[in-house]
Amino acid sequence: MSEELQGTVTVLFTDVEGSTDLRTRQGDDFAQETLRAHERLLREQIQEHGGREVVFLGDGFMVAFGSARRAVACAIAIQRAFDQHNRQHPDRQIRVRTGLNTGEVIQESGTLYGAAVNAAARIVDKTKGGQILVSQVVKDLAGPVKDFVFVDRGLFSLKGFPARWRLHEVIWQQPAEVGPAERPAGGAAVASSSLGSDRILGTPEETYSRAPL
């Protein structure tokens, strides 16, 4: 990331579901080959949608966009690319979790810091493989786009933030592949346990500032 990012930025985090378990079950060589395919597919979509790779940690990326709309489009393209990969390689399934937030950031020492970055990392922590969750501000900034379908998933508690955040799922499947959108069981205001829980050890800034750009 050679040029300084200024102003409002949309931050996209990805994470491969079960990457540690993959190494335990299949061994390092198999896992590494699978993760290289993940890296290649993700970078193709990041480049195509004008994203700025900030940090790569082997099983996840932090990417910055100057446009919320481009960030959402990239997240959709990422999921579709991995869906195609999984259909072609049923023995090498890769399920990617994706979370997005928009806000002011601080660029320092080749990475991004700030509450907006922390929130994006907490949002991806609420997802499961094959899912995209975005904050309310991302949905609002992306605006009404024909190809974007947002489903309100209710209010979530994000670790480190006193107020709960309203999160929306972005439906990326083609219309023929997706059934009626349903809210999680248990009501609109409570997140379904299937969407995940806090699991990051340390702060997102600690986790995502380790790799130089």
Side-chain angles (χ1 to χ4, degrees):
M1 190 171 61
S2 57
E3 299 178 9
E4 184 175 356
L5 291 169
Q6 297 181 358
T8 302
V9 171
T10 298
V11 180
L12 180 153
F13 276 96
T14 69
D15 179 69
V16 175
E17 183 178 66
S19 59
T20 301
D21 185 55
L22 177 65
R23 292 187 182 278
T24 302
R25 288 185 294 104
Q26 302 288 352
D28 285 340
D29 290 342
F30 181 93
Q32 199 62 30
E33 185 176 342
T34 301
L35 291 174
R36 279 197 295 267
H38 147 260
E39 180 182 349
R40 174 181 56 79
L41 288 172
L42 253 167
R43 286 201 165 112
E44 286 175 358
Q45 299 306 323
I46 292 168
Q47 182 176 5
E48 184 173 333
H49 291 85
R52 303 268 295 279
E53 180 182 331
V54 181
V55 174
F56 170 60
L57 290 176
D59 62 353
F61 283 80
M62 174 165 62
V63 185
F65 292 84
S67 161
R69 189 171 293 181
R70 285 205 312 271
V72 173
C74 184
I76 292 171
I78 286 169
Q79 294 296 350
R80 289 178 177 171
F82 282 105
D83 181 60
Q84 182 179 15
H85 170 274
N86 292 342
R87 292 172 189 268
Q88 295 173 346
H89 305 280
D91 60 329
R92 295 182 181 273
Q93 298 280 308
I94 304 173
R95 289 174 56 79
V96 174
R97 312 182 310 141
T98 312
L100 295 85
N101 184 46
T102 301
E104 297 287 327
V105 300
I106 298 171
Q107 181 177 332
E108 186 175 302
S109 301
T111 191
L112 300 180
Y113 298 90
V117 178
N118 294 357
R122 297 307 187 195
I123 290 169
V124 76
D125 206 43
K126 296 295 184 182
T127 64
K128 57 186 178 181
Q131 186 177 43
I132 304 166
L133 288 178
V134 306
S135 63
Q136 181 70 49
V137 67
V138 172
K139 177 181 180 294
D140 291 343
L141 288 172
V145 177
K146 181 182 66 173
D147 295 333
F148 292 175
V149 178
F150 296 95
V151 178
D152 186 346
R153 291 306 187 192
L155 298 172
F156 288 69
S157 295
L158 302 184
K159 187 176 180 180
F161 293 86
R164 293 194 295 172
W165 287 56
R166 183 168 298 280
L167 301 183
H168 300 265
E169 182 171 1
V170 180
I171 306 303
W172 56 267
Q173 295 90 341
Q174 301 292 349
E177 300 175 329
V178 65
E182 297 180 356
R183 302 174 84 81
V190 179
S192 166
S193 60
S194 68
L195 296 179
S197 59
D198 288 320
R199 64 173 180 81
I200 291 179
L201 301 178
T203 68
E205 290 182 354
E206 291 169 345
T207 304
Y208 291 99
S209 62
R210 291 179 291 175
L213 298 175

